[in-house]
Amino acid sequence: MTARKILFLVLDGISDRPCPELEGKTPLQSAKKPNLDTFAREGICGIMDTIAPGIRPGSDTAHLALLGYDPNRFYTGRGPLECEGTGIKMHPGMIGFRCNFATLLHDGNISDRRAGRIHDTIALSEAIQRQIDLSKFGVEFTFRSGAGHRAALALKGKGLGHCVSSNDPKKEGVPPLAINAVKQTKKDKKTAAVCNEFIKQANAILSEHPLNKERQRKRLPQANTVLLRGAGEMGVFEPFSQKYGINGSVISAASLIAGIGTALGLKRVHVDGITGSQDSNLFGKILAAQNELRSQDFVLVNIKGADESGHDGLAKQKTAFIEKIDAAIAPLRSLQECIIVICADHSTPCTIKDHSADPVPVIIWGDGVRTDDVVRFDEISCPKGGLNRIPGSSLVPTALDLINRAHKYGA
Ligand code: ZN
Ligand code: ZN
């Protein structure tokens, strides 16, 4: 039998290095994970350089590479993809920023870069959208709330560049910076001027907003300014369906990953209770993936929590979260006519609390797969498998071939 569908399960940052807290094992090696190990035993395993050996990927560039979009060509900064992730439809040439609501004191200093980790900023974003006027620059904008204190800003207009600095001072107790043109071109100078005007008008609107008056009464940090960073110009992405001839969905709590999906034309699926953290509704995600596979050819699921533990340097927490993932994916073992790819997007070693270039373990499971001798899903076992060492860009083509949808090269 030949499988007809593809499920990509990307376990964000799950790959690691030996951890002293785990007697020199990696979290994947020390976790009890019967389901992941069964996929390894029944599938073909290998190790993967998401982008290339020695390149430390971000989650964004890694996911582009895993989907077959060379980040060298397609990555234009995080801002435009974050905009997509908040639901702003970005068109080529638009300039995108990721934003934070922050707290500005009377003395002009930032006292909290996350405005007390405020939630529910939609009323603030709507006020900004309604009241800010950038027409003197011939520029239209869209401003949307993201998760928690986050938001995104998109600019549309003639003669806008994307090489501008951020106003985020990256620390508290100092004033926000002015946004400047990095390359001093006319386009970049215009974008910098637009941004500085945007922030000036936003500050006036936010400081008068009833929600901030109420926060003041409750002695909560006000969300009375906006920090802009990650400027980028939206590029041209060949839609996934056109590139591969299959349709697909994306399921991710991380707006950046969801934004990459929608930028490529994947359908975004919302699931209640997903947080991108340890407490995420993993069962809901897996159920949603199974539902999507009824109508879609391809589903990308990103599970983020292990990356968070890696950044926090918590090897035991990471191990426990791997066991939680393992329990949640049990229903996938009975999936019919589906190729399941299980991998990480990069390593996030607890010992370095950041992403590393260490290659990541990968399993391909399903009908037609040539099973190898590997019986465990971890960084040390998988390289002995039949896939050997592959680049991330090979993953979609390999899976497509297994569902018999790869184009024949030559006669
Ligand atoms: Zn990642
Ligand atoms: Zn990370």
Side-chain angles (χ1 to χ4, degrees):
M1 199 165 43
T2 305
R4 297 181 302 117
K5 311 268 171 157
I6 301 169
L7 172 62
F8 261 42
L9 191 59
V10 181
L11 309 178
D12 207 300
I14 205 167
S15 181
D16 211 296
R17 289 181 183 172
C19 298
E21 285 166 270
L22 306 173
E23 280 99 41
K25 288 184 177 172
T26 68
L28 270 177
Q29 280 183 300
S30 49
K32 284 195 184 60
K33 45 177 181 34
N35 293 308
L36 283 164
D37 288 343
T38 300
F39 282 116
R41 191 170 62 246
E42 296 176 356
I44 187 167
C45 296
I47 199 102
M48 178 170 70
D49 298 290
T50 318
I51 298 176
I55 304 294
R56 287 173 57 212
S59 287
D60 43 12
T61 50
H63 278 76
L64 282 172
L66 290 177
L67 294 168
Y69 292 79
D70 179 1
N72 285 312
R73 206 179 126 203
F74 288 98
Y75 186 62
T76 56
R78 185 163 172 170
L81 300 171
E82 286 282 358
C83 284
E84 278 278 341
T86 62
I88 301 172
K89 190 66 216 153
M90 295 293 284
H91 298 285
M94 285 171 74
I95 310 294
F97 297 83
R98 48 196 294 238
C99 311
N100 273 11
F101 283 99
T103 308
L104 190 62
L105 297 182
H106 285 302
D107 62 6
N109 290 332
I110 296 278
S111 64
D112 190 330
R113 291 176 57 250
R114 300 183 181 88
R117 292 198 175 267
I118 186 172
H119 289 283
D120 303 328
T121 61
I122 288 172
L124 299 176
S125 294
E126 284 175 353
I128 285 175
Q129 188 66 57
R130 239 184 357 257
Q131 294 176 48
I132 287 185
D133 180 5
L134 301 174
S135 59
K136 69 174 176 183
F137 297 99
V139 168
E140 289 172 35
F141 76 97
T142 310
F143 187 84
R144 285 267 185 107
S145 289
H149 58 278
R150 297 179 195 88
L153 168 68
L155 302 177
K156 187 178 165 190
K158 287 211 172 73
L160 291 172
H162 69 279
C163 294
V164 294
S165 62
S166 166
N167 66 330
D168 184 352
K170 293 277 172 75
K171 56 182 178 189
E172 282 145 8
V174 294
L177 307 167
I179 292 187
N180 291 312
V182 176
K183 287 188 180 163
Q184 292 298 320
T185 65
K186 204 175 154 195
K187 282 180 156 195
D188 296 333
K189 282 183 184 167
K190 178 171 174 181
T191 302
V194 170
C195 290
N196 289 321
E197 176 65 21
F198 175 87
I199 293 159
K200 192 177 127 199
Q201 292 188 34
N203 290 357
I205 293 161
L206 292 171
S207 62
E208 293 303 317
H209 196 281
L211 198 145
N212 271 325
K213 299 279 181 207
E214 194 189 321
R215 284 178 75 82
Q216 194 175 19
R217 274 196 299 279
K218 292 180 177 167
R219 295 175 180 271
L220 290 169
Q222 294 184 54
N224 56 4
T225 192
V226 183
L227 300 175
L228 271 52
R229 62 204 159 110
E233 181 178 334
M234 184 64 175
V236 181
F237 294 95
E238 183 187 3
F240 187 85
S241 59
Q242 218 169 342
K243 188 172 165 76
Y244 297 116
I246 56 174
N247 59 14
S249 301
V250 58
I251 302 172
S252 171
S255 56
L256 183 61
I257 307 304
I260 287 172
T262 61
L264 304 182
L266 298 179
K267 171 189 162 197
R268 181 179 188 175
V269 180
H270 292 274
V271 180
D272 287 339
I274 62 172
T275 61
S277 202
Q278 310 289 311
D279 58 354
S280 195
N281 175 12
L282 301 185
F283 288 94
K285 258 185 181 170
I286 297 300
L287 189 66
Q290 289 171 281
N291 283 337
E292 281 308 294
L293 285 166
R294 294 200 182 103
S295 57
Q296 303 290 88
D297 303 313
F298 174 90
V299 177
L300 168 68
V301 178
N302 172 282
I303 295 180
K304 189 84 182 160
D307 179 58
E308 190 180 70
S309 306
H311 283 288
D312 292 339
L314 299 173
K316 287 191 173 151
Q317 188 192 69
K318 193 168 177 178
T319 306
F321 189 68
I322 291 168
E323 293 178 355
K324 208 174 149 185
I325 293 173
D326 192 78
I329 65 166
L332 298 180
R333 281 174 56 187
S334 52
L335 264 187
Q336 302 282 318
E337 300 185 8
C338 185
I339 295 296
I340 303 182
V341 175
I342 304 174
C343 63
D345 54 343
H346 50 74
S347 302
T348 311
C350 295
T351 48
I352 64 168
K353 300 184 179 180
D354 203 345
H355 303 179
S356 73
D358 298 275
V360 302
V362 52
I363 304 170
I364 302 179
W365 176 94
D367 295 324
V369 165
R370 298 176 187 165
T371 302
D372 55 30
D373 296 334
V374 176
V375 295
R376 270 189 276 277
F377 179 60
D378 62 54
E379 302 85 342
I380 314 301
S381 307
C382 285
K384 297 170 190 139
L387 284 174
N388 304 131
R389 185 164 179 160
I390 59 168
S393 58
S394 298
L395 220 45
V396 177
T398 304
L400 271 183
D401 183 45
L402 284 163
I403 64 165
N404 225 359
R405 300 285 288 267
H407 286 295
K408 191 176 181 183
Y409 181 53

